[in-house]
């Protein structure tokens, strides 16, 4: 239970940090510029696929099963991420030289935030693997409190978006530094030694991790395709409205990450030591999530009208209606969490990838059909339908496998 609370603090701090950045930006810049920032974040998340490559999910499992190889694996992963980051930055630089990117400085800044977050997430896996949930939570919470203060002060005196992002990036760097320093103090090692990097082993690691990377790629496209379609078939204003609603209800989705962070290591150990407890734990977790998600979403909808009027400026009145549609999508995301964890632990990534392709295909086709007629409502409906399809496919797969 203690680990749940620590994980909630940690993940909520991360979401609050990003959400408050959006909150400050949405009240400082024009609606169109906020839409451009949101669009660039979607593009950045797609580019980060080549950096993250599903390594964090892979590490959460492998570090638990093979603790003796922790430093070697972490050194390989971080080095690969740094090399990939340089490649992505060079790619954006080439686009800037060719003048095919609008406002490249903004895209660079958003990309830097994404790269730092990726490295922070990698060290977060290590903290949780060593049971240091409290230390990770304390660092994340402290950094969030400080950056929130800086953001609100900056938002009141700075109207230029690029300049506004600079102090936020500075504190992201500080967050990463504190995590590496603290881990070294706790575990007597930073777990990163570039001398341990070997090209042949890195190549083998990339090949072994391909199924995780493929699933991450499909999942990222699945979650960002609606934003891309809105930008191409509607407008940046539509992207702004949709992002505002999604960021607000995304606070609830903190729960799905908390569940993954706590239960993946726990269920991996139970499967190895107490198979019966592992199966019983799956059933109990599914029931708990069904009841708790309904309660949380219902409470959120009750207070959502007050929140939108208080948080968002004029011109975002449609977010209340969007939140109702998206809340149903969030419910199906919640109840898909435990099936997704089981599929990961049971090495059924091939099936999970096929299911993700189903969700992506449905979301893409429906968005292209509905967005020209219903704008952001069409995007929300597409997300809901695809979430239902994914949940149904997960449940059918696990039933076939005897779970």
């Amino acid at each position: 239970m203690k680990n749940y609370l620590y994980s909630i603090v940690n993940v909520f701090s991360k979401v609050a940090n990003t959400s408050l950045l959006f909150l400050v930006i949405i009240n400082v810049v024009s609606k169109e510029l906020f839409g451009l920032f949101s669009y660039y974040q979607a593009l950045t998340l797609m580019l980060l696929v080549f950096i993250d490559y599903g390594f964090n999910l892979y590490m959460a499992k492998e570090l638990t099963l093979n603790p003796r190889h922790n430093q070697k694996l972490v050194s390989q992963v971080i080095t690969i991420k740094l090399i990939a980051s340089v490649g992505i930055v060079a790619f954006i630089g080439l686009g800037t030289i060719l003048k095919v990117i609008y406002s490249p400085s903004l895209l660079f800044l958003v990309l830097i935030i994404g790269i730092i977050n990726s490295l922070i997430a990698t060290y977060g896996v290590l903290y949780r693997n060593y049971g240091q949930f409290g230390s990770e939570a304390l660092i994340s919470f402290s950094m969030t409190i400080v950056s929130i203060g800086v953001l609100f002060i900056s938002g009141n005196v700075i109207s230029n978006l690029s300049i506004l992002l600079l102090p936020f990036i500075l504190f992201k760097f500080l967050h990463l530094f504190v995590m590496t320093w603290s881990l070294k103090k706790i575990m007597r090692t930073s777990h990163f030694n570039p001398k341990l990097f070997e090209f042949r082993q890195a190549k083998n690691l990339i090949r072994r991790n391909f199924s995780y990377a493929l699933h991450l790629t499909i999942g990222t496209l699945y979650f960002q395709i609606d934003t891309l379609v809105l930008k191409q078939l509607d407008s940046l204003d539509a992207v702004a409205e949709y992002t505002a609603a999604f960021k607000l209800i995304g606070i609830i989705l903190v729960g799905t990450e908390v569940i993954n962070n706590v239960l993946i290591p726990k269920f991996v150990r139970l499967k190895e030591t107490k198979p019966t407890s592992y199966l019983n734990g799956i059933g109990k977790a599914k029931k708990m999530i069904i009841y708790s998600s309904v309660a949380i979403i219902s409470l959120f909808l009750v207070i959502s009208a007050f929140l939108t009027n208080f948080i968002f400026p004029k011109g975002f009145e449609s977010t209340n209606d969007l939140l109702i549609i998206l809340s149903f999508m969030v419910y199906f995301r919640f109840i898909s969490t435990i099936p997704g964890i089981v599929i990961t632990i049971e090495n059924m990534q091939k099936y999970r990838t096929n299911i993700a392709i189903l969700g992506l295909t449905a979301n893409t086709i429906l968005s292209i059909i509905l967005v020209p007629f219903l704008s952001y409502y069409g995007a929300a409906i597409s997300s809901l339908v695809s979430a239902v399809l994914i949940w149904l496919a997960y449940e059918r797969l696990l039933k076939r496998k005897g779970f």
Side-chain angles (χ1 to χ4, degrees):
M1 186 64 185
K2 185 185 294 185
N3 286 347
Y4 267 112
L5 294 176
Y6 285 141
S7 191
I8 288 172
V9 171
N10 176 50
V11 179
F12 181 78
S13 296
K14 181 175 70 175
V15 173
N17 209 326
T18 304
S19 298
L20 285 166
L21 173 64
F22 273 82
L23 172 61
V24 171
I25 292 173
I26 202 174
N27 284 282
V28 170
V29 303
S30 66
K31 189 175 183 180
E32 184 178 11
L33 186 54
F34 176 72
L36 179 63
F37 173 75
S38 304
Y39 175 63
Y40 276 172
Q41 193 198 43
L43 286 179
T44 295
L45 289 173
M46 294 175 66
L47 291 172
L48 285 174
V49 165
F50 299 100
I51 298 173
D52 284 328
Y53 202 72
F55 283 129
N56 293 342
L57 187 59
Y58 176 80
M59 286 174 57
K61 180 181 176 182
E62 290 299 314
L63 293 180
T64 303
L65 295 175
N66 301 296
R68 292 182 180 179
H69 301 101
N70 283 5
Q71 186 175 18
K72 197 167 189 178
L73 176 59
V74 172
S75 297
Q76 293 284 96
V77 167
I78 292 178
T79 304
I80 292 171
K81 285 193 171 189
L82 291 175
I83 293 172
S85 298
V86 172
I88 297 298
V89 170
F91 177 75
I92 299 298
L94 178 62
T96 302
I97 294 172
L98 297 176
K99 297 183 179 180
V100 296
I101 299 176
Y102 177 73
S103 188
S105 60
L106 178 59
L107 181 56
F108 267 118
L109 293 174
V110 175
L111 179 61
I112 290 171
I113 293 171
I115 292 171
I116 299 172
N117 282 337
S118 176
L119 295 173
I120 289 173
T122 299
Y123 276 97
V125 175
L126 272 171
Y127 273 80
R128 294 188 291 276
N129 181 69
Y130 288 119
Q132 298 293 327
F133 286 84
S135 298
E136 184 190 14
L138 178 61
I139 294 170
S140 295
F141 183 75
S142 301
M143 291 295 103
T144 297
I145 293 298
V146 175
S147 61
I148 285 173
V150 172
L151 274 173
F152 274 107
I153 294 173
S154 302
N156 287 323
V157 298
I158 300 172
S159 58
N160 183 286
L161 180 54
S162 296
I163 297 175
L164 181 62
L165 291 175
L166 291 178
F168 185 78
I169 292 173
L170 177 63
F171 278 97
K172 281 293 178 182
F173 271 117
L174 180 61
H175 187 172
L176 178 60
F177 171 78
V178 172
M179 287 197 77
T180 56
W181 174 82
S182 179
L183 185 67
K184 188 172 183 179
K185 189 174 182 180
I186 294 170
M187 304 307 301
R188 311 283 183 181
T189 174
S190 66
H191 283 78
F192 175 55
N193 183 356
K195 294 181 180 180
L196 293 177
F197 176 78
E198 295 180 12
F199 179 78
R200 182 179 297 178
Q201 290 187 357
K203 187 177 178 180
N204 291 334
L205 178 60
I206 290 171
R207 184 166 52 246
R208 289 199 306 271
N209 204 58
F210 179 74
S211 60
Y212 291 92
L214 182 60
H215 178 74
L216 176 64
T217 302
I218 296 167
T220 302
L221 283 171
Y222 167 74
F223 291 120
Q224 305 305 322
I225 195 66
D226 40 14
T227 300
L228 300 181
V229 172
L230 276 171
K231 165 64 170 59
Q232 299 302 322
L233 301 183
D234 201 315
S235 64
L236 286 174
D237 283 359
V239 172
E241 292 248 16
Y242 188 70
T243 301
F246 221 112
K247 286 296 176 183
L248 187 57
I249 204 163
I251 296 172
I252 301 177
L253 286 173
V254 167
T256 61
E257 191 168 347
V258 170
I259 294 165
N260 278 305
N261 288 347
V262 175
L263 291 188
I264 288 179
K266 178 181 177 180
F267 282 165
V268 167
R269 294 188 183 98
L270 282 177
K271 184 189 175 186
E272 296 295 318
T273 58
K274 299 177 181 178
T276 303
S277 298
Y278 165 60
L279 295 174
N280 291 336
I282 291 171
K284 290 178 181 178
K286 287 178 73 173
K287 289 180 181 178
M288 180 188 73
I289 288 172
I290 289 173
Y291 297 135
S292 60
S293 61
V294 169
I296 293 170
I297 293 170
S298 298
L299 177 62
F300 179 83
L301 287 176
V302 170
I303 64 174
S304 62
F306 167 77
L307 288 175
T308 53
N309 291 331
F310 178 74
I311 293 174
F312 299 138
K314 292 181 179 180
F316 287 84
E317 290 77 11
S318 299
T319 50
N320 280 323
D321 296 330
L322 270 172
L323 286 173
I324 295 173
I325 301 172
L326 292 174
S327 65
F328 288 100
M329 180 274 295
V330 168
Y331 171 74
F332 285 101
R333 287 272 302 277
F334 259 102
I335 63 176
S336 297
T337 307
I338 298 301
I341 289 174
V342 175
I343 289 169
T344 297
I345 295 173
E346 296 295 329
N347 290 317
M348 293 189 284
Q349 291 301 318
K350 177 181 177 182
Y351 297 103
R352 186 172 187 170
T353 299
N354 292 337
I355 292 170
I357 291 173
L358 169 67
L360 172 61
T361 303
N363 199 9
T364 303
I365 293 174
L366 286 173
S367 293
I368 292 172
I369 293 172
L370 296 178
V371 164
F373 300 99
L374 300 174
S375 189
Y376 34 73
Y377 294 115
I381 293 170
S382 301
S383 295
L384 170 58
V385 172
S386 57
V388 173
L389 288 175
I390 289 175
W391 170 70
L392 289 172
Y394 276 177
E395 291 294 338
R396 183 179 179 184
L397 172 60
L398 293 184
K399 188 174 181 180
R400 282 171 48 201
K401 297 296 182 178
F403 288 93

